[in-house]
Amino acid sequence: GAVVSQHPSWVICKSGTSVKIECRSLDFQATTMFWYRQFPKQSLMLMATSNEGSKATYEQGVEKDKFLINHASLTLSTLTVTSAHPEDSSFYICSARVDRPEAFFGQGTRLTVV
Amino acid sequence: AQSVTQPDIHITVSEGASLELRCNYSYGATPYLFWYVQSPGQGLQLLLKYFSGDTLVQGIKGFEAEFKRSQSSFNLRKPSVHWSDAAEYFCAVSPNTNAGKSTFGDGTTLTVKP
């Protein structure tokens, strides 16, 4: 149990376009989901916390208008990178929490902006 | 704010040798503690976790970790390293008041010599 799936696993988009990444909890309902970004050879940095039915809480320095997060249901959260630029190229990972003191990670999405 | 320090950026050990990866954290109370492993281009795999109770925690793949409150440490150990253990290792903490919201260390790259 406790499987989190991200889609797509990798995506290439042109500079200036928007791309949407989905994070689904497959076998449980997630009250809270988290979005992280990982640049090459660096650690994971929390971008935002997403609660179902409410606005996401963004970490300091993360542009909420650029990284749109929607958590419309207890099993799905989406991250949309708007007007993507090459510097947005990164590995994006989501995690989802149940009523246990841990979150389960998706497999990540590799975004390349060309 | 919580923080995690992994003092060793890169560690090289011979196959069959023992391994210890260090992790120190800073937090007002005892947080939840985790160790993850990440292979290149892949997502995170949870090795083990500590919430409470026995301070010596057993994980997958023969790994264990010991929580030492007095030293604010959660070091990862393995008695005999295999070549397949070569990867990036991340220590993470999340507050017991907001479980799942993780702060990661910068990671330790493990190289295994034949």
Side-chain angles (χ1 to χ4, degrees), chain B residues 17-85:
Chain B
S18 63
L19 170 70
E20 182 171 32
L21 302 182
R22 297 182 290 164
C23 173
N24 293 94
Y25 68 89
S26 174
Y27 184 60
T30 299
Y32 299 131
L33 298 157
F34 306 87
W35 273 101
Y36 295 92
V37 61
Q38 184 180 39
S39 296
Q42 303 297 311
L44 299 177
Q45 181 178 24
L46 177 67
L47 289 175
L48 44 77
K49 59 196 177 189
Y50 173 79
F51 295 153
S52 64
D54 193 347
T55 57
L56 185 61
V57 180
Q58 300 298 318
I60 63 171
K61 301 185 176 185
F63 286 94
E64 67 177 26
E66 185 172 13
F67 168 59
K68 292 186 177 180
R69 184 190 307 274
S70 61
Q71 298 177 20
S72 296
S73 68
F74 188 56
N75 295 346
L76 181 72
R77 299 192 295 248
K78 185 170 184 177
S80 178
V81 170
H82 188 262
W83 65 266
S84 60
D85 293 325

Short mmCIF file of all heavy atoms in Angstrom, two decimals, chain B residues 17-85:
data_model
loop_
_atom_site.label_atom_id
_atom_site.label_comp_id
_atom_site.label_asym_id
_atom_site.label_seq_id
_atom_site.Cartn_x
_atom_site.Cartn_y
_atom_site.Cartn_z
N ALA B 17 33.42 -3.82 3.25
CA ALA B 17 33.77 -3.02 4.42
C ALA B 17 32.51 -2.46 5.06
O ALA B 17 31.44 -2.44 4.46
CB ALA B 17 34.71 -1.89 4.03
N SER B 18 32.68 -2.00 6.30
CA SER B 18 31.54 -1.42 6.99
C SER B 18 31.38 0.04 6.58
O SER B 18 32.30 0.68 6.06
CB SER B 18 31.75 -1.52 8.50
OG SER B 18 32.88 -0.77 8.89
N LEU B 19 30.18 0.55 6.85
CA LEU B 19 29.84 1.90 6.41
C LEU B 19 29.11 2.63 7.53
O LEU B 19 28.27 2.05 8.23
CB LEU B 19 28.92 1.84 5.20
CG LEU B 19 28.27 3.15 4.74
CD1 LEU B 19 29.32 4.07 4.13
CD2 LEU B 19 27.14 2.87 3.75
N GLU B 20 29.45 3.90 7.70
CA GLU B 20 28.66 4.76 8.57
C GLU B 20 28.52 6.11 7.91
O GLU B 20 29.51 6.76 7.57
CB GLU B 20 29.28 4.92 9.96
CG GLU B 20 28.42 5.79 10.88
CD GLU B 20 28.88 5.80 12.33
OE1 GLU B 20 30.09 5.68 12.57
OE2 GLU B 20 28.02 5.90 13.23
N LEU B 21 27.30 6.55 7.72
CA LEU B 21 27.00 7.87 7.18
C LEU B 21 26.42 8.71 8.30
O LEU B 21 25.48 8.31 8.97
CB LEU B 21 26.01 7.76 6.02
CG LEU B 21 26.43 6.89 4.84
CD1 LEU B 21 25.37 6.93 3.74
CD2 LEU B 21 27.77 7.32 4.29
N ARG B 22 26.96 9.90 8.44
CA ARG B 22 26.58 10.75 9.56
C ARG B 22 25.44 11.70 9.21
O ARG B 22 25.35 12.19 8.08
CB ARG B 22 27.79 11.53 10.06
CG ARG B 22 28.91 10.66 10.62
CD ARG B 22 30.04 11.52 11.13
NE ARG B 22 30.76 12.18 10.05
CZ ARG B 22 31.59 13.20 10.23
NH1 ARG B 22 31.79 13.70 11.44
NH2 ARG B 22 32.23 13.73 9.20
N CYS B 23 24.63 11.96 10.21
CA CYS B 23 23.52 12.90 10.07
C CYS B 23 23.30 13.58 11.41
O CYS B 23 23.11 12.90 12.43
CB CYS B 23 22.25 12.18 9.62
SG CYS B 23 20.77 13.23 9.60
N ASN B 24 23.30 14.90 11.40
CA ASN B 24 22.97 15.67 12.59
C ASN B 24 21.81 16.60 12.25
O ASN B 24 21.71 17.10 11.13
CB ASN B 24 24.17 16.49 13.06
CG ASN B 24 25.28 15.60 13.57
OD1 ASN B 24 26.20 15.25 12.83
ND2 ASN B 24 25.19 15.20 14.82
N TYR B 25 20.96 16.82 13.21
CA TYR B 25 19.81 17.67 12.96
C TYR B 25 19.71 18.74 14.02
O TYR B 25 20.27 18.61 15.12
CB TYR B 25 18.52 16.84 12.91
CG TYR B 25 18.14 16.24 14.25
CD1 TYR B 25 17.35 16.95 15.15
CD2 TYR B 25 18.61 14.99 14.61
CE1 TYR B 25 17.03 16.42 16.38
CE2 TYR B 25 18.31 14.45 15.86
CZ TYR B 25 17.51 15.17 16.73
OH TYR B 25 17.20 14.64 17.95
N SER B 26 18.98 19.77 13.66
CA SER B 26 18.71 20.84 14.60
C SER B 26 17.21 21.07 14.62
O SER B 26 16.61 21.36 13.58
CB SER B 26 19.43 22.13 14.18
OG SER B 26 19.06 23.21 15.03
N TYR B 27 16.63 20.88 15.80
CA TYR B 27 15.18 21.05 15.93
C TYR B 27 14.88 21.17 17.41
O TYR B 27 15.58 20.63 18.24
CB TYR B 27 14.46 19.85 15.32
CG TYR B 27 12.95 19.96 15.33
CD1 TYR B 27 12.32 21.00 14.66
CD2 TYR B 27 12.16 19.03 16.00
CE1 TYR B 27 10.94 21.12 14.68
CE2 TYR B 27 10.78 19.14 16.01
CZ TYR B 27 10.17 20.18 15.35
OH TYR B 27 8.82 20.29 15.37
N GLY B 28 13.82 21.88 17.74
CA GLY B 28 13.51 22.13 19.13
C GLY B 28 13.10 20.90 19.91
O GLY B 28 13.33 20.80 21.10
N ALA B 29 12.48 19.96 19.23
CA ALA B 29 12.06 18.73 19.89
C ALA B 29 12.58 17.57 19.06
O ALA B 29 13.33 17.77 18.11
CB ALA B 29 10.54 18.69 19.98
N THR B 30 12.24 16.38 19.44
CA THR B 30 12.66 15.23 18.64
C THR B 30 11.77 15.14 17.42
O THR B 30 10.56 14.96 17.54
CB THR B 30 12.55 13.93 19.46
OG1 THR B 30 13.42 14.03 20.59
CG2 THR B 30 12.97 12.75 18.60
N PRO B 31 12.36 15.26 16.24
CA PRO B 31 11.55 15.18 15.02
C PRO B 31 11.41 13.72 14.59
O PRO B 31 11.95 12.82 15.21
CB PRO B 31 12.40 15.95 14.02
CG PRO B 31 13.81 15.66 14.45
CD PRO B 31 13.78 15.52 15.95
N TYR B 32 10.69 13.54 13.52
CA TYR B 32 10.70 12.24 12.87
C TYR B 32 11.92 12.22 11.95
O TYR B 32 12.23 13.20 11.29
CB TYR B 32 9.42 12.03 12.07
CG TYR B 32 8.18 12.07 12.93
CD1 TYR B 32 7.08 12.85 12.57
CD2 TYR B 32 8.08 11.32 14.10
CE1 TYR B 32 5.93 12.87 13.34
CE2 TYR B 32 6.94 11.35 14.88
CZ TYR B 32 5.87 12.13 14.50
OH TYR B 32 4.74 12.16 15.26
N LEU B 33 12.59 11.09 11.90
CA LEU B 33 13.87 11.00 11.19
C LEU B 33 13.82 9.91 10.14
O LEU B 33 13.24 8.84 10.36
CB LEU B 33 14.99 10.69 12.19
CG LEU B 33 15.20 11.77 13.26
CD1 LEU B 33 15.88 11.19 14.49
CD2 LEU B 33 16.02 12.91 12.69
N PHE B 34 14.45 10.18 9.00
CA PHE B 34 14.39 9.25 7.88
C PHE B 34 15.75 9.19 7.18
O PHE B 34 16.51 10.16 7.17
CB PHE B 34 13.35 9.72 6.84
CG PHE B 34 11.98 9.97 7.40
CD1 PHE B 34 11.65 11.21 7.94
CD2 PHE B 34 11.01 8.98 7.37
CE1 PHE B 34 10.39 11.45 8.46
CE2 PHE B 34 9.74 9.22 7.88
CZ PHE B 34 9.43 10.45 8.42
N TRP B 35 16.00 8.06 6.56
CA TRP B 35 17.10 7.91 5.61
C TRP B 35 16.52 7.40 4.30
O TRP B 35 15.74 6.43 4.28
CB TRP B 35 18.15 6.92 6.11
CG TRP B 35 19.20 7.54 6.99
CD1 TRP B 35 19.28 7.49 8.35
CD2 TRP B 35 20.36 8.27 6.55
NE1 TRP B 35 20.39 8.16 8.79
CE2 TRP B 35 21.08 8.64 7.71
CE3 TRP B 35 20.86 8.64 5.30
CZ2 TRP B 35 22.27 9.38 7.66
CZ3 TRP B 35 22.04 9.37 5.25
CH2 TRP B 35 22.72 9.73 6.42
N TYR B 36 16.93 8.06 3.21
CA TYR B 36 16.52 7.66 1.87
C TYR B 36 17.75 7.40 1.03
O TYR B 36 18.82 7.98 1.25
CB TYR B 36 15.71 8.77 1.19
CG TYR B 36 14.39 9.10 1.84
CD1 TYR B 36 14.31 10.09 2.81
CD2 TYR B 36 13.22 8.44 1.48
CE1 TYR B 36 13.10 10.40 3.41
CE2 TYR B 36 12.01 8.75 2.07
CZ TYR B 36 11.95 9.72 3.03
OH TYR B 36 10.76 10.04 3.62
N VAL B 37 17.56 6.57 0.00
CA VAL B 37 18.61 6.34 -0.98
C VAL B 37 18.06 6.70 -2.35
O VAL B 37 16.88 6.48 -2.64
CB VAL B 37 19.12 4.88 -0.94
CG1 VAL B 37 18.01 3.88 -1.26
CG2 VAL B 37 20.29 4.69 -1.89
N GLN B 38 18.94 7.28 -3.17
CA GLN B 38 18.54 7.69 -4.51
C GLN B 38 19.62 7.29 -5.51
O GLN B 38 20.77 7.70 -5.38
CB GLN B 38 18.30 9.19 -4.57
CG GLN B 38 17.78 9.70 -5.91
CD GLN B 38 17.57 11.20 -5.93
OE1 GLN B 38 18.36 11.95 -5.38
NE2 GLN B 38 16.49 11.65 -6.57
N SER B 39 19.23 6.50 -6.48
CA SER B 39 20.15 6.16 -7.57
C SER B 39 20.01 7.23 -8.65
O SER B 39 18.99 7.91 -8.72
CB SER B 39 19.81 4.78 -8.13
OG SER B 39 20.02 3.79 -7.14
N PRO B 40 21.03 7.39 -9.49
CA PRO B 40 21.01 8.46 -10.50
C PRO B 40 19.74 8.45 -11.34
O PRO B 40 19.36 7.41 -11.90
CB PRO B 40 22.25 8.17 -11.34
CG PRO B 40 23.18 7.49 -10.40
CD PRO B 40 22.31 6.64 -9.52
N GLY B 41 19.09 9.60 -11.43
CA GLY B 41 17.90 9.73 -12.25
C GLY B 41 16.66 9.07 -11.69
O GLY B 41 15.62 9.04 -12.36
N GLN B 42 16.75 8.58 -10.48
CA GLN B 42 15.62 7.86 -9.89
C GLN B 42 14.99 8.65 -8.74
O GLN B 42 15.54 9.66 -8.29
CB GLN B 42 16.08 6.48 -9.37
CG GLN B 42 16.72 5.61 -10.42
CD GLN B 42 15.76 5.25 -11.52
OE1 GLN B 42 14.63 4.81 -11.28
NE2 GLN B 42 16.18 5.44 -12.76
N GLY B 43 13.86 8.14 -8.27
CA GLY B 43 13.23 8.75 -7.11
C GLY B 43 13.88 8.29 -5.82
O GLY B 43 14.94 7.68 -5.81
N LEU B 44 13.21 8.57 -4.72
CA LEU B 44 13.73 8.22 -3.40
C LEU B 44 13.19 6.87 -2.94
O LEU B 44 12.03 6.56 -3.15
CB LEU B 44 13.30 9.27 -2.37
CG LEU B 44 13.78 10.70 -2.59
CD1 LEU B 44 13.18 11.60 -1.53
CD2 LEU B 44 15.28 10.77 -2.57
N GLN B 45 14.06 6.13 -2.29
CA GLN B 45 13.61 4.89 -1.66
C GLN B 45 13.87 5.02 -0.16
O GLN B 45 14.98 5.32 0.27
CB GLN B 45 14.36 3.68 -2.22
CG GLN B 45 13.90 2.35 -1.61
CD GLN B 45 14.62 1.15 -2.18
OE1 GLN B 45 15.73 1.25 -2.71
NE2 GLN B 45 13.99 0.00 -2.10
N LEU B 46 12.85 4.77 0.62
CA LEU B 46 12.98 4.86 2.07
C LEU B 46 13.77 3.66 2.60
O LEU B 46 13.40 2.52 2.36
CB LEU B 46 11.60 4.90 2.72
CG LEU B 46 11.57 4.93 4.25
CD1 LEU B 46 12.15 6.24 4.78
CD2 LEU B 46 10.14 4.74 4.76
N LEU B 47 14.84 3.95 3.33
CA LEU B 47 15.63 2.87 3.94
C LEU B 47 15.11 2.54 5.34
O LEU B 47 14.99 1.36 5.70
CB LEU B 47 17.10 3.29 4.05
CG LEU B 47 17.90 3.37 2.76
CD1 LEU B 47 19.29 3.91 3.04
CD2 LEU B 47 17.96 2.01 2.07
N LEU B 48 14.86 3.57 6.13
CA LEU B 48 14.36 3.36 7.48
C LEU B 48 13.86 4.68 8.05
O LEU B 48 14.10 5.74 7.47
CB LEU B 48 15.43 2.74 8.39
CG LEU B 48 16.85 3.30 8.30
CD1 LEU B 48 16.98 4.62 9.02
CD2 LEU B 48 17.86 2.31 8.88
N LYS B 49 13.17 4.56 9.18
CA LYS B 49 12.58 5.74 9.80
C LYS B 49 12.56 5.57 11.30
O LYS B 49 12.55 4.44 11.81
CB LYS B 49 11.15 5.93 9.28
CG LYS B 49 10.26 4.73 9.56
CD LYS B 49 9.00 4.76 8.73
CE LYS B 49 8.17 3.50 8.98
NZ LYS B 49 7.04 3.36 8.04
N TYR B 50 12.55 6.69 12.01
CA TYR B 50 12.44 6.68 13.45
C TYR B 50 11.36 7.66 13.86
O TYR B 50 11.39 8.84 13.49
CB TYR B 50 13.77 7.08 14.11
CG TYR B 50 13.63 7.23 15.62
CD1 TYR B 50 13.63 6.10 16.45
CD2 TYR B 50 13.47 8.48 16.20
CE1 TYR B 50 13.48 6.24 17.82
CE2 TYR B 50 13.33 8.61 17.57
CZ TYR B 50 13.33 7.49 18.36
OH TYR B 50 13.17 7.62 19.72
N PHE B 51 10.41 7.14 14.65
CA PHE B 51 9.37 8.00 15.19
C PHE B 51 9.52 8.11 16.70
O PHE B 51 9.49 9.20 17.26
CB PHE B 51 7.98 7.44 14.86
CG PHE B 51 7.67 7.44 13.39
CD1 PHE B 51 6.77 6.52 12.85
CD2 PHE B 51 8.24 8.35 12.51
CE1 PHE B 51 6.48 6.50 11.50
CE2 PHE B 51 7.96 8.34 11.16
CZ PHE B 51 7.07 7.41 10.66
N SER B 52 9.68 6.97 17.36
CA SER B 52 9.83 6.94 18.81
C SER B 52 10.23 5.53 19.20
O SER B 52 10.33 4.64 18.35
CB SER B 52 8.52 7.33 19.51
OG SER B 52 7.50 6.39 19.23
N GLY B 53 10.49 5.33 20.48
CA GLY B 53 10.77 3.99 20.97
C GLY B 53 12.24 3.61 20.85
O GLY B 53 13.13 4.44 21.06
N ASP B 54 12.48 2.36 20.49
CA ASP B 54 13.83 1.82 20.39
C ASP B 54 14.68 2.72 19.50
O ASP B 54 14.32 3.01 18.36
CB ASP B 54 13.77 0.41 19.83
CG ASP B 54 15.10 -0.33 19.97
OD1 ASP B 54 16.11 0.33 20.28
OD2 ASP B 54 15.11 -1.56 19.78
N THR B 55 15.82 3.12 20.02
CA THR B 55 16.65 4.08 19.28
C THR B 55 17.48 3.44 18.19
O THR B 55 18.08 4.15 17.39
CB THR B 55 17.57 4.82 20.26
OG1 THR B 55 18.36 3.86 20.97
CG2 THR B 55 16.78 5.66 21.24
N LEU B 56 17.54 2.13 18.15
CA LEU B 56 18.23 1.43 17.07
C LEU B 56 17.17 0.92 16.11
O LEU B 56 16.34 0.09 16.48
CB LEU B 56 19.08 0.29 17.62
CG LEU B 56 19.95 -0.44 16.60
CD1 LEU B 56 20.96 0.52 15.97
CD2 LEU B 56 20.68 -1.61 17.26
N VAL B 57 17.23 1.40 14.89
CA VAL B 57 16.18 1.11 13.92
C VAL B 57 16.76 0.25 12.80
O VAL B 57 17.82 0.56 12.27
CB VAL B 57 15.62 2.42 13.32
CG1 VAL B 57 14.54 2.11 12.31
CG2 VAL B 57 15.10 3.32 14.41
N GLN B 58 16.05 -0.81 12.48
CA GLN B 58 16.47 -1.67 11.37
C GLN B 58 15.71 -1.27 10.11
O GLN B 58 14.52 -0.94 10.16
CB GLN B 58 16.18 -3.13 11.70
CG GLN B 58 16.89 -3.64 12.96
CD GLN B 58 18.39 -3.57 12.83
OE1 GLN B 58 18.97 -3.89 11.79
NE2 GLN B 58 19.07 -3.15 13.91
N GLY B 59 16.41 -1.31 8.98
CA GLY B 59 15.76 -0.95 7.73
C GLY B 59 15.93 -2.03 6.69
O GLY B 59 16.29 -3.16 6.99
N ILE B 60 15.71 -1.63 5.46
CA ILE B 60 15.85 -2.58 4.36
C ILE B 60 17.30 -2.66 3.91
O ILE B 60 18.13 -1.82 4.27
CB ILE B 60 14.95 -2.18 3.18
CG1 ILE B 60 15.37 -0.82 2.62
CG2 ILE B 60 13.48 -2.16 3.59
CD1 ILE B 60 14.68 -0.44 1.33
N LYS B 61 17.60 -3.68 3.14
CA LYS B 61 18.92 -3.86 2.53
C LYS B 61 20.04 -3.98 3.57
O LYS B 61 21.20 -3.67 3.26
CB LYS B 61 19.25 -2.72 1.57
CG LYS B 61 18.26 -2.56 0.43
CD LYS B 61 18.72 -1.47 -0.54
CE LYS B 61 17.77 -1.38 -1.71
NZ LYS B 61 18.25 -0.42 -2.73
N GLY B 62 19.73 -4.37 4.77
CA GLY B 62 20.75 -4.56 5.79
C GLY B 62 21.21 -3.30 6.50
O GLY B 62 22.20 -3.33 7.25
N PHE B 63 20.53 -2.19 6.28
CA PHE B 63 20.89 -0.93 6.93
C PHE B 63 20.24 -0.81 8.30
O PHE B 63 19.17 -1.35 8.55
CB PHE B 63 20.46 0.27 6.07
CG PHE B 63 21.31 0.49 4.87
CD1 PHE B 63 20.96 -0.06 3.64
CD2 PHE B 63 22.46 1.26 4.96
CE1 PHE B 63 21.75 0.14 2.52
CE2 PHE B 63 23.26 1.47 3.84
CZ PHE B 63 22.90 0.91 2.62
N GLU B 64 20.92 -0.08 9.17
CA GLU B 64 20.36 0.27 10.46
C GLU B 64 20.80 1.69 10.80
O GLU B 64 21.75 2.22 10.21
CB GLU B 64 20.83 -0.68 11.57
CG GLU B 64 22.31 -0.61 11.89
CD GLU B 64 22.71 -1.52 13.05
OE1 GLU B 64 22.02 -2.53 13.29
OE2 GLU B 64 23.73 -1.19 13.69
N ALA B 65 20.09 2.30 11.72
CA ALA B 65 20.45 3.65 12.15
C ALA B 65 20.19 3.76 13.64
O ALA B 65 19.29 3.11 14.18
CB ALA B 65 19.65 4.70 11.39
N GLU B 66 20.96 4.60 14.28
CA GLU B 66 20.82 4.79 15.71
C GLU B 66 20.53 6.25 16.02
O GLU B 66 21.27 7.15 15.61
CB GLU B 66 22.06 4.35 16.46
CG GLU B 66 21.90 4.41 17.98
CD GLU B 66 23.06 3.80 18.73
OE1 GLU B 66 24.11 3.54 18.11
OE2 GLU B 66 22.92 3.59 19.96
N PHE B 67 19.46 6.48 16.71
CA PHE B 67 19.09 7.83 17.15
C PHE B 67 19.77 8.10 18.49
O PHE B 67 19.60 7.33 19.44
CB PHE B 67 17.57 7.93 17.30
CG PHE B 67 17.10 9.18 18.00
CD1 PHE B 67 17.41 10.44 17.50
CD2 PHE B 67 16.36 9.09 19.18
CE1 PHE B 67 16.97 11.58 18.14
CE2 PHE B 67 15.93 10.24 19.83
CZ PHE B 67 16.24 11.48 19.31
N LYS B 68 20.51 9.20 18.54
CA LYS B 68 21.14 9.61 19.79
C LYS B 68 20.67 11.03 20.10
O LYS B 68 21.14 12.00 19.51
CB LYS B 68 22.66 9.56 19.68
CG LYS B 68 23.21 8.14 19.55
CD LYS B 68 24.72 8.12 19.58
CE LYS B 68 25.25 6.69 19.53
NZ LYS B 68 26.75 6.64 19.56
N ARG B 69 19.78 11.11 21.05
CA ARG B 69 19.18 12.40 21.39
C ARG B 69 20.23 13.38 21.88
O ARG B 69 20.21 14.56 21.51
CB ARG B 69 18.11 12.20 22.46
CG ARG B 69 17.34 13.46 22.82
CD ARG B 69 16.49 13.23 24.07
NE ARG B 69 15.64 12.06 23.92
CZ ARG B 69 14.45 12.08 23.36
NH1 ARG B 69 13.94 13.21 22.91
NH2 ARG B 69 13.74 10.97 23.26
N SER B 70 21.16 12.91 22.69
CA SER B 70 22.17 13.80 23.29
C SER B 70 23.08 14.42 22.24
O SER B 70 23.62 15.50 22.45
CB SER B 70 23.01 13.03 24.31
OG SER B 70 23.70 11.96 23.68
N GLN B 71 23.22 13.73 21.12
CA GLN B 71 24.09 14.24 20.06
C GLN B 71 23.30 14.77 18.87
O GLN B 71 23.88 15.20 17.88
CB GLN B 71 25.03 13.12 19.59
CG GLN B 71 25.96 12.60 20.68
CD GLN B 71 26.82 11.43 20.21
OE1 GLN B 71 27.02 11.23 19.02
NE2 GLN B 71 27.35 10.67 21.16
N SER B 72 21.98 14.72 18.96
CA SER B 72 21.11 15.14 17.85
C SER B 72 21.58 14.48 16.56
O SER B 72 21.74 15.14 15.52
CB SER B 72 21.12 16.67 17.70
OG SER B 72 20.57 17.28 18.83
N SER B 73 21.81 13.18 16.64
CA SER B 73 22.33 12.47 15.47
C SER B 73 21.47 11.28 15.13
O SER B 73 20.73 10.74 15.97
CB SER B 73 23.77 12.01 15.74
OG SER B 73 23.79 10.99 16.73
N PHE B 74 21.58 10.89 13.90
CA PHE B 74 20.84 9.72 13.39
C PHE B 74 21.70 9.12 12.30
O PHE B 74 21.44 9.25 11.11
CB PHE B 74 19.47 10.16 12.86
CG PHE B 74 18.54 9.03 12.49
CD1 PHE B 74 18.21 8.05 13.42
CD2 PHE B 74 17.95 8.97 11.23
CE1 PHE B 74 17.33 7.02 13.10
CE2 PHE B 74 17.07 7.94 10.90
CZ PHE B 74 16.77 6.97 11.84
N ASN B 75 22.75 8.44 12.70
CA ASN B 75 23.73 7.90 11.76
C ASN B 75 23.30 6.58 11.17
O ASN B 75 22.76 5.72 11.87
CB ASN B 75 25.09 7.75 12.45
CG ASN B 75 25.69 9.08 12.87
OD1 ASN B 75 25.24 10.16 12.44
ND2 ASN B 75 26.70 9.04 13.71
N LEU B 76 23.59 6.42 9.92
CA LEU B 76 23.22 5.22 9.17
C LEU B 76 24.42 4.29 9.11
O LEU B 76 25.53 4.73 8.84
CB LEU B 76 22.78 5.61 7.75
CG LEU B 76 22.34 4.49 6.82
CD1 LEU B 76 20.97 3.94 7.26
CD2 LEU B 76 22.25 4.99 5.39
N ARG B 77 24.16 3.00 9.28
CA ARG B 77 25.28 2.03 9.27
C ARG B 77 24.90 0.80 8.47
O ARG B 77 23.72 0.45 8.32
CB ARG B 77 25.63 1.60 10.70
CG ARG B 77 26.08 2.74 11.60
CD ARG B 77 26.70 2.21 12.88
NE ARG B 77 25.75 1.50 13.71
CZ ARG B 77 25.31 1.94 14.88
NH1 ARG B 77 25.72 3.11 15.34
NH2 ARG B 77 24.47 1.21 15.60
N LYS B 78 25.96 0.16 7.96
CA LYS B 78 25.79 -1.13 7.32
C LYS B 78 27.08 -1.91 7.56
O LYS B 78 28.17 -1.38 7.33
CB LYS B 78 25.51 -0.99 5.83
CG LYS B 78 25.19 -2.34 5.17
CD LYS B 78 24.68 -2.17 3.75
CE LYS B 78 24.28 -3.53 3.18
NZ LYS B 78 23.69 -3.44 1.82
N PRO B 79 26.99 -3.14 8.03
CA PRO B 79 28.21 -3.88 8.40
C PRO B 79 29.07 -4.30 7.21
O PRO B 79 30.28 -4.39 7.33
CB PRO B 79 27.67 -5.10 9.15
CG PRO B 79 26.23 -5.21 8.78
CD PRO B 79 25.76 -3.85 8.40
N SER B 80 28.44 -4.54 6.06
CA SER B 80 29.19 -5.01 4.90
C SER B 80 28.56 -4.44 3.64
O SER B 80 27.44 -4.82 3.27
CB SER B 80 29.19 -6.54 4.87
OG SER B 80 29.88 -7.02 3.72
N VAL B 81 29.28 -3.57 2.99
CA VAL B 81 28.72 -2.85 1.84
C VAL B 81 28.83 -3.69 0.56
O VAL B 81 29.84 -4.38 0.33
CB VAL B 81 29.47 -1.52 1.67
CG1 VAL B 81 29.09 -0.86 0.34
CG2 VAL B 81 29.12 -0.59 2.81
N HIS B 82 27.83 -3.60 -0.26
CA HIS B 82 27.81 -4.29 -1.55
C HIS B 82 27.96 -3.26 -2.65
O HIS B 82 27.60 -2.09 -2.48
CB HIS B 82 26.47 -5.05 -1.68
CG HIS B 82 26.39 -5.95 -2.87
ND1 HIS B 82 25.77 -5.57 -4.04
CD2 HIS B 82 26.84 -7.21 -3.06
CE1 HIS B 82 25.84 -6.57 -4.91
NE2 HIS B 82 26.49 -7.57 -4.33
N TRP B 83 28.47 -3.68 -3.80
CA TRP B 83 28.67 -2.72 -4.89
C TRP B 83 27.37 -2.01 -5.28
O TRP B 83 27.37 -0.85 -5.70
CB TRP B 83 29.27 -3.41 -6.12
CG TRP B 83 28.38 -4.44 -6.76
CD1 TRP B 83 28.38 -5.78 -6.52
CD2 TRP B 83 27.34 -4.21 -7.71
NE1 TRP B 83 27.42 -6.40 -7.26
CE2 TRP B 83 26.76 -5.47 -8.01
CE3 TRP B 83 26.83 -3.08 -8.35
CZ2 TRP B 83 25.71 -5.60 -8.91
CZ3 TRP B 83 25.79 -3.22 -9.25
CH2 TRP B 83 25.24 -4.48 -9.51
N SER B 84 26.25 -2.71 -5.11
CA SER B 84 24.96 -2.13 -5.48
C SER B 84 24.50 -1.04 -4.52
O SER B 84 23.49 -0.37 -4.77
CB SER B 84 23.89 -3.22 -5.56
OG SER B 84 23.75 -3.86 -4.30
N ASP B 85 25.22 -0.86 -3.43
CA ASP B 85 24.86 0.21 -2.48
C ASP B 85 25.34 1.58 -2.93
O ASP B 85 24.98 2.60 -2.33
CB ASP B 85 25.44 -0.10 -1.08
CG ASP B 85 24.80 -1.31 -0.43
OD1 ASP B 85 23.58 -1.51 -0.63
OD2 ASP B 85 25.52 -2.05 0.27
#
